[in-house]
Amino acid sequence: MHMHSRLRRKISAAFLALATVFAMAACSNSVPDAGGSSASGGSSSSSSLTAAIAAMPTSYDLEGTWAASNENYTIWSQTMVNLIRYKYVEKNGVQVQDFTKYEGVLADKDNPFTVSDGGKTYTFHLRKGVKSQAGNPFTAQDVYWSLQRKLNVSGGRLPQIANLFDNINQVQIVDDHTIAIHLHDVDKGELLLPNLTGQMGRIWDKTEMLKHVTPDDPWATKWAAQNTGAGYGPYTVSSVTEGQQLVLKANPNYPLDKPKFTTITMKVVADSGTRAQMLASGDVDVSEALSPSDATSIADKVQLPKVDNPTEFIGLTLVENKAPFNDQRVRQAFRYAVPYDDIIKQVYQGKAKASSGWITPAMGVPGLSAKPAYTYNPSKAKALLKEAGKTSVPVTLSVSSLVPDIIDSAVMISSSAKQAGFDVTVKQLSAADFASGRANKTFQALMVANRSQAQAPAGLDNFFSTKGDNNSAFAPTDEYTGLLDAAKNAGKSTSKEAAPHWQKFSSFLNDEASNLPMLYRQPNQAYSTKLQNMSYRYDSTVDYSILAPKS
């Protein structure tokens, strides 16, 4: 199934509002009950499902130029897949990914990879008989070309592959269904598998992509930004109604279990409260990106997934190369000016927890402290500011206008920080302007929903290395590098020997106070009670490919 879908990048607020009205008035394709009628009383079939999303995706190519948004992550996860993925395990009615176990997707199901050469060579055994969405046979050539593309496309912000191996000559095609990756260092093996599992590990159909290259675009970034159909994922985008909805169709060549829903209609509904009420009334089957208060308001009518160890966080970044946050004492003071408990109680309705730092329980490092890195302490904040020679500090805190819980949190920070000596102005920006400012590092301070896509402590270097998504403009110091190297050289991160070194590294990042998770939040999606197999993934998106009607 080969789809060509045009993606419109800019949608006016007025048009979005009009689209919301149309979406609410339109008949929806909802999950049927046992008798065959839909949840909303319409005539939809059991193979269709409708979701309410906040906005249209801005790009289908995660290796090109893109904005970090829930919609983009969702579309990438549903149209593209990897060699391997984290295994799903059911906990409390939610399919949660185990970040320490892998299974083959494009790699062989039972024997996806082997490790040799003292841990420096990873050989992947590929599935046979797999075809792409465009119908082309899958071979090691597709993997090789995909990795080569990742090393050469410069528009994106996913350099983790290049941090592992910087030369395509380290990738060896053994035969049509076997490919090996040779690493220079053993310690990079702990990052290779998570990175190949995450967003940056998506595999392209080389044959199809080569049809769309041009002399000035040798990696088909322009075509891939606006089209799907050159991958192996469970769905392709079959149609787009500008500003209103996009429709996904199931890929008949998908190598894993075929999706139960062959049609996914994603309706753009800009307001979180409206998305929640549409789900509660049965007009849609899934609502994404709900504010905690809107989710709580419909809790008795829907399913709200809850997980033991959420990995998605609200990051508060204080940019080190811009005054006043070029002073560590001011950065620490601002951390003490944040009303963590009030934000968790009022904004997140108790569905979040204060951050103890970057290393989460899901990473499997034993014995790490769960104590919050910072608590609200305006007196301590004032003392630090006095030590820095400051009494009143103006701060501009930038946020995306599409994320209501972050806006509400920022407003609460602005109010409470006054008692600590900060005058905070909250600046709400469009998704595009926020993404641009974030990428270009023009902000003084910002808040963003994020997650560590490689759930391994060594992967945190991406948030601080100059090669990475360096939101904090943090310049790695000798102390930083020494602590990180000592932790990586102490053995596997899940070992007792390495744990004290990771604790020291975590404490260093906490003390730096530049780029830190402020809190970890529960999933922000909600599901119809007629569905099963809710998911919690490394990228915090809904996995529509495993959703099913309740039996």
Side-chain angles (χ1 to χ4, degrees), residues 156-186:
R157 295 185 288 120
L158 293 175
Q160 293 93 323
I161 294 294
N163 290 346
L164 294 173
F165 55 90
D166 53 13
N167 193 316
I168 195 61
N169 291 334
Q170 291 175 247
V171 181
Q172 174 193 4
I173 296 177
V174 179
D175 58 42
D176 280 351
H177 293 94
T178 312
I179 193 164
I181 297 176
H182 304 282
L183 305 175
H184 293 312
D185 304 307
V186 174

Side-chain angles (χ1 to χ4, degrees), residues 481-503:
T481 302
L483 289 170
L484 179 61
D485 287 346
K488 290 193 296 184
N489 293 334
K492 287 189 175 182
S493 60
T494 53
S495 69
K496 292 181 179 180
E497 292 77 16
H501 295 280
W502 286 117
Q503 182 68 72

Side-chain angles (χ1 to χ4, degrees), residues 225-238:
Q226 301 186 47
N227 296 274
T228 61
Y232 303 87
Y235 293 97
T236 57
V237 177
S238 70

